[in-house]
Amino acid sequence: MKPFARKLHTINTFDIVNALLMLLICIVTLYPFLYILSLSLSPGDISFATLHIIPPKITMANFHKVLTNDFVISGFVNTIIRTFLGTALSLMATIFAAYTLSKKYFPHRSFWTAFVVFTMFFSGGLIPNYLLVKSLGLMNSTWALILPGLISTFSMIIARNFFMALPESLEESAKIDGANDLHILFRIMIPISMPIIATLTLWIAVAHWNAWFDSLIYITDASKQVLQIVMRRIVLEGTQQMMDLNAFDDNSLAVNPETIKAATILVTIIPIILFYPFLQKYFVKGVLVGSLKG
């Protein structure tokens, strides 16, 4: 009984230490978010000398100020357009490329796969990309934010491995019934590939929603900038012109630059956080299956 008791004691000690470690990680992860949430709901006349996660008073004046700002509204609309359009086109192009490279009968499949993987490690660089976008006439347009990165090599390889793991008998039986490649892809392969499609959708949508550097380079019109650029100017540069902080309304005492910055951060991150739970159940399965077969 002593060895069993010693083993049980070891297991219990491990579980306790593991639980405490996970609890610590959760606290470290959640506290900044809770603090920003508390700050965004706080009136402008509070003291910021101490950190707090429960606001002494609750006001929605900060969110009202942010959500009625013209730059924030235009940035939000531009980001939504970029995210939906970019995700749809990237997902379609990635699936087409991955499905093609997953077929053993595709001529020189290994060469083309290696050629595509090569782009993961070497690229033309920032200046050639800028000159290319400029020469194509894409400057100051949404297409400059979508077309240069239409296909992610990593995502395409994950999707290719997923398609390779599917039974070949599905395709063979469909061809016997007279189905062509497009019919097989849209009517058979895509419906049973929801895990990897949901995974790719999440990756691509988050990447487009969070992207800001390409907009900083290619977009010169302030009304066409994405939300991340607007947030950057408000939070990091503290641009008064972006929020017109000197032109307060009747709620001028209820807001200040710090609470405005906190509200802007939450307005930026909450939409994409709410998007995740709808795809979470497919995410783990899609990543595991897509990464097993080379």
Side-chain angles (χ1 to χ4, degrees), residues 1-199:
M1 294 297 294
K2 290 184 179 180
F4 177 77
R6 190 181 302 111
K7 182 177 180 180
L8 183 61
H9 175 73
T10 303
I11 295 176
N12 291 336
T13 302
F14 173 80
D15 292 340
I16 293 174
V17 173
N18 192 34
L20 292 177
L21 180 61
M22 292 297 103
L23 180 62
L24 178 62
I25 294 175
C26 290
I27 294 175
V28 173
T29 304
L30 291 177
Y31 183 81
F33 179 82
L34 295 177
Y35 173 69
I36 292 296
L37 177 62
S38 173
L39 189 60
S40 66
L41 295 174
S42 301
D45 56 352
I46 66 170
S47 174
F48 299 98
T50 58
L51 299 178
H52 59 276
I53 59 175
I54 300 178
K57 298 179 182 179
I58 295 180
T59 177
M60 299 302 294
N62 301 305
F63 288 99
H64 179 267
K65 189 70 176 177
V66 171
L67 295 176
T68 55
N69 180 267
D70 293 337
F71 290 104
V72 174
I73 294 175
S74 62
F76 200 89
V77 172
N78 294 332
T79 301
I80 291 178
I81 294 175
R82 173 188 180 165
T83 301
F84 276 91
L85 187 60
T87 301
L89 294 178
S90 296
L91 186 62
M92 181 176 63
T94 301
I95 289 176
F96 282 165
Y99 182 71
T100 302
L101 293 178
S102 67
K103 299 307 171 186
K104 295 180 180 179
Y105 54 80
F106 180 69
H108 310 292
R109 183 184 67 162
S110 299
F111 169 78
W112 292 115
T113 301
F115 185 80
V116 172
V117 172
F118 179 82
T119 62
M120 290 180 61
F121 308 101
F122 301 94
S123 64
L126 179 60
I127 296 178
N129 287 336
Y130 179 85
L131 295 177
L132 176 61
V133 171
K134 185 176 181 180
S135 63
L136 293 176
L138 300 178
M139 294 292 293
N140 207 32
S141 69
T142 305
W143 297 111
L145 311 179
I146 296 175
L147 295 181
L150 188 63
I151 297 181
S152 169
T153 304
F154 178 78
S155 299
M156 192 273 292
I157 294 299
I158 295 295
R160 167 186 172 270
N161 295 342
F162 185 94
F163 285 127
M164 290 177 62
L166 297 178
E168 296 181 3
S169 57
L170 293 175
E171 182 178 358
E172 294 173 354
S173 60
K175 286 187 175 181
I176 292 176
D177 294 335
N180 55 29
D181 291 329
L182 290 178
H183 184 89
I184 294 173
L185 175 62
F186 285 102
R187 299 296 296 274
I188 298 177
M189 295 302 176
I190 290 182
I192 64 176
S193 302
M194 288 307 299
I196 193 62
I197 292 177
T199 302

Side-chain angles (χ1 to χ4, degrees), residues 188-214:
I188 298 177
M189 295 302 176
I190 290 182
I192 64 176
S193 302
M194 288 307 299
I196 193 62
I197 292 177
T199 302
L200 295 180
T201 300
L202 182 62
W203 284 349
I204 298 172
V206 171
H208 276 293
W209 185 271
N210 292 333
W212 63 273
F213 187 68
D214 52 357

Side-chain angles (χ1 to χ4, degrees), residues 234-247:
I234 295 174
V235 176
L236 297 183
E237 301 176 7
T239 306
Q240 295 238 347
Q241 182 182 3
M242 298 296 296
M243 294 307 304
D244 194 17
L245 294 177
N246 293 324

